[in-house]
Amino acid sequence: MIVIILAGGRGERLNSITEYVPKSLIPINNVPIIERQIKYLQKFNITKFVIALGYLSQQVINYIRHKNYFYADIEFSIEKTLLGTGGAIKNIIDDKNENSYIIMNGDIITNMDISLLQSQIDSVAIIPLITKFGVVCINDNRITQFDEKKIVSNEWMNSGLYHLSKKLLNKLPTNGNIEQTLFPMCAKQNLLYALKYQNIMWHSIDSYKDINECEIKLSSI
């Protein structure tokens, strides 16, 4: 099975770092995101990777080639113009003959067990929604509690990890994001399975606060 890692974005919210370093090479406790992702996926006997790159792509290529201890078959797909996540995926699968692919956003750090995801084609790993803002609990107009990043009951969010068939992925446009093109169409036709993951560590690295919180969490486990 091939894993596609989507790592071509600019990372504009981390601009003071990504002006010089691609987002996938941002260190989390001194280990770049892309290295953490590869080592994480290798725990599930995944040895083949295609990394979709765009912005400052040569830095990522040089880093991975230098780290020859990955012991993995790693290819690179470089976008000369930004195609969006959907376009980047389609650009890769057009040259491959796999029946399905694991796809991972390039800014995700997690410890979820993806064995179930590997066994279920056309599935999306979902996790409980966590608010990015403080939640105020009230009773009779009196504040009873403040909760930071509270889990919202019965609401789920896309974790950025998918297992999708080539049959579905062939429906992608040549340009655009998968979340705004393929997924809405699939949802209307009930083509996707939702795999629920709870009580896991998951971080999307979008801000300096995310980096700090992820580093603290990793240091505690």
Side-chain angles (χ1 to χ4, degrees), residues 153-178:
S153 300
N154 301 317
E155 294 290 344
W156 298 84
M157 59 184 282
N158 178 357
S159 73
L161 266 164
Y162 326 117
H163 181 192
L164 302 175
S165 65
K166 187 167 185 178
K167 181 179 178 180
L168 271 191
L169 292 173
N170 280 334
K171 300 177 186 293
L172 281 166
T174 56
N175 201 315
N177 290 329
I178 189 172

Side-chain angles (χ1 to χ4, degrees), residues 4 145 177 179 183 189 199 218-219:
I4 298 173
Q145 188 174 338
N177 290 329
E179 299 88 352
F183 284 171
Q189 299 180 32
N199 302 315
L218 286 171
S219 297

Side-chain angles (χ1 to χ4, degrees), residues 94-174:
D94 283 348
D95 294 327
K96 303 291 181 184
N97 295 313
E98 302 293 319
N99 291 325
S100 65
Y101 300 81
I102 297 288
I103 299 168
M104 184 177 190
N105 287 348
D107 56 3
I108 301 300
I109 302 293
T110 185
N111 64 354
M112 71 170 65
D113 183 340
I114 63 166
S115 300
L116 181 59
L117 186 72
Q118 288 175 291
S119 64
Q120 180 62 67
I121 296 178
D122 292 334
S123 59
V124 175
I126 62 173
I127 59 176
L129 176 63
I130 303 174
T131 66
K132 287 196 171 184
F133 306 99
V135 175
V136 179
C137 303
I138 61 172
N139 181 23
D140 194 24
N141 292 327
R142 297 278 186 167
I143 295 175
T144 59
Q145 188 174 338
F146 291 91
D147 285 334
E148 288 295 320
K149 294 201 169 183
K150 181 181 179 181
I151 292 177
V152 180
S153 300
N154 301 317
E155 294 290 344
W156 298 84
M157 59 184 282
N158 178 357
S159 73
L161 266 164
Y162 326 117
H163 181 192
L164 302 175
S165 65
K166 187 167 185 178
K167 181 179 178 180
L168 271 191
L169 292 173
N170 280 334
K171 300 177 186 293
L172 281 166
T174 56

Side-chain angles (χ1 to χ4, degrees), residues 70-89:
F70 279 133
Y71 304 113
D73 180 358
I74 302 175
E75 298 178 36
F76 305 98
S77 177
I78 302 172
E79 302 172 34
K80 294 181 180 178
T81 58
L82 292 180
L83 303 173
T85 53
I89 295 165

Side-chain angles (χ1 to χ4, degrees), residues 34-52:
I34 191 69
E35 181 170 347
R36 286 189 177 277
Q37 290 185 318
I38 292 171
K39 289 181 176 178
Y40 155 70
L41 290 162
Q42 285 179 316
K43 294 177 182 179
F44 302 95
N45 298 317
I46 292 169
T47 60
K48 295 182 179 181
F49 302 84
V50 180
I51 304 175

Side-chain angles (χ1 to χ4, degrees), residues 3 8 14 24 26 32 54-55 86 96 129-130 134 180 187 191 198 208 210:
V3 170
L14 289 161
S24 56
I26 291 176
Y55 178 70
K96 303 291 181 184
L129 176 63
I130 303 174
Q180 297 165 348
L191 297 177
Q198 300 187 70
Y208 295 98
D210 292 329

